[in-house]
C-alpha cells in the first residue's frame, strides 16, 4: 500500500536513504531533514514495514521533482517502484501549479516506461543544483535528467498514466 509518510516513518525512510547513499545511488539526508520535509514523502508499506520510499518536491517553476525513489532490495523487481512512480505522477497531475515532472536518475528504463524523456541537465533550473552540493558525484554527475510534460495528461482521465508498449509507443489510456 502506498500512503503519505508520517513522522514516525522518518527513521525507516532514513534507513533506506542511508543504505543507498553509501554508494551514491541516493542523496544522503539527515533524520532532521527528513522529518522537516516529511510531507513530501510517500512510503510503500507492506506488513507494517516501510519497504519503498519516494519524495515529491513541488515548487520550482511549475516543476515537480521525483526524488529519493528507493525500494528495499528484498523486494526488487516486484513492481513497487513502478507503482510509486505511477502514484507520484497522479499526484503531480492533481497539482494545478505544476506542468512538468522531472527526475535525476540511474533508472532510465524505469522512467521511460512512463513517457519520461531524457533532457539536458542544464535545462533544469539552477535551484535544482543546490541539493547536488551534498552529493558524492557532484563534480562528475552521472545521473540522467528526464522529464515528463504533464500538460497533455491533464486533459485525460487520471486513472492510467502513460505506459510504454514493447513497440516503443507511449500509450495514454
Ligand atoms: C531503481 C529501483 C527503485 C527499482 O525498484 P523496483 O521496485 O525493483 O522496480 P520495478 O519492479 O518497478 O521495476 C520496473 C522496471 O524498471 C526496470 N528496472 C528496475 N530495476 C532495474 C535494474 N536494477 N536494472 C535495470 N532495470 C531495472 C525494469 O525495466 C523493470 O521492469 P521488469 O522488472 O519488468 O524488467 C530500485 O532498484 C532501487 O531502489 N534502486 C536503488 C536506488 C535508485 O537507484 N533509485 C533510483 C533513483 S531515481
Amino acid at each position: 500500500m502506498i500512503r503519505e509518510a508520517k513522522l514516525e516513518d522518518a527513521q525507516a525512510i532514513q534507513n533506506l536513504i542511508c543504505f543507498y547513499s553509501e554508494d551514491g545511488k541516493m542523496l544522503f539526508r539527515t533524520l532532521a531533514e527528513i522529518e522537516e520535509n516529511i510531507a513530501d514523502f510517500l512510503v510503500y508499506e507492506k506488513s507494517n514495514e516501510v519497504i519503498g520510499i519516494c519524495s515529491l518536491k513541488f515548487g520550482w517553476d511549475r516543476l515537480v521533482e521525483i526524488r529519493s525513489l528507493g525500494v528495499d532490495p528484498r523486494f526488487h523487481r516486484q513492481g513497487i517502484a513502478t507503482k510509486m512512480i505511477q502514484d507520484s505522477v497522479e499526484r503531480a497531475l492533481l497539482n494545478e501549479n505544476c506542468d512538468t515532472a522531472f527526475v535525476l536518475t540511474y533508472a532510465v528504463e524505469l522512467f521511460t516506461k512512463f513517457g519520461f524523456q531524457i533532457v539536458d541537465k542544464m535545462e533544469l533550473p539552477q535551484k535544482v543544483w543546490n541539493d547536488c552540493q551534498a552529493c558524492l558525484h557532484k563534480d562528475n554527475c552521472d545521473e540522467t535528467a528526464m522529464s515528463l510534460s504533464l500538460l497533455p495528461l491533464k486533459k485525460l482521465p487520471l486513472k492510467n498514466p502513460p505506459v510504454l508498449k514493447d513497440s516503443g509507443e507511449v500509450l495514454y489510456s
Side-chain angles (χ1 to χ4, degrees):
M1 170 185 83
I2 297 172
R3 59 168 173 79
E4 289 171 9
K6 297 181 266 193
L7 212 45
E8 50 267 39
D9 299 317
Q11 187 60 65
I13 292 171
Q14 205 216 8
N15 292 346
L16 258 182
I17 290 181
C18 280
F19 180 77
Y20 285 124
S21 64
E22 268 171 23
D23 57 0
K25 285 199 180 119
M26 219 182 259
L27 202 60
F28 176 78
R29 304 217 173 252
T30 63
L31 188 58
E33 270 179 283
I34 295 165
E35 285 172 347
E36 203 176 308
N37 296 290
I38 198 73
D40 295 343
F41 281 91
L42 298 172
V43 295
Y44 191 104
E45 184 187 314
K46 186 174 180 178
S47 310
N48 292 322
E49 199 186 350
V50 169
I51 60 164
I53 59 170
C54 171
S55 121
L56 278 183
K57 181 80 181 167
F58 288 96
W60 284 317
D61 303 343
R62 302 190 69 79
L63 293 171
V64 58
E65 179 181 6
I66 298 179
R67 44 158 84 175
S68 307
L69 173 69
V71 174
D72 183 322
R74 291 173 296 159
F75 300 95
H76 278 181
R77 304 305 276 258
Q78 294 179 24
I80 292 171
T82 299
K83 287 190 190 121
M84 297 203 82
I85 297 170
Q86 195 158 343
D87 192 275
S88 301
V89 170
E90 290 187 3
R91 283 166 196 269
L93 286 170
L94 290 170
N95 189 309
E96 286 177 3
N97 301 315
C98 177
D99 296 339
T100 305
F102 79 94
V103 64
L104 287 160
T105 188
Y106 297 109
V108 172
E109 202 183 322
L110 178 56
F111 283 93
T112 300
K113 291 188 181 196
F114 287 87
F116 280 77
Q117 293 181 332
I118 295 175
V119 291
D120 185 341
K121 282 181 204 142
M122 292 306 145
E123 284 178 22
L124 300 176
Q126 196 59 40
K127 277 174 269 183
V128 171
W129 304 112
N130 293 345
D131 275 353
C132 300
Q133 296 311 313
C135 179
L136 281 181
H137 306 299
K138 67 175 172 182
D139 295 324
N140 191 16
C141 176
D142 53 355
E143 287 188 308
T144 301
M146 301 184 80
S147 79
L148 174 72
S149 172
L150 301 171
L151 291 174
L153 304 178
K154 282 190 171 180
K155 297 179 187 139
L156 298 168
L158 280 182
K159 279 235 175 271
N160 300 304
V163 177
L164 184 73
K165 292 285 156 196
D166 290 340
S167 61
E169 181 191 7
V170 178
L171 279 193
Y172 300 101
S173 47

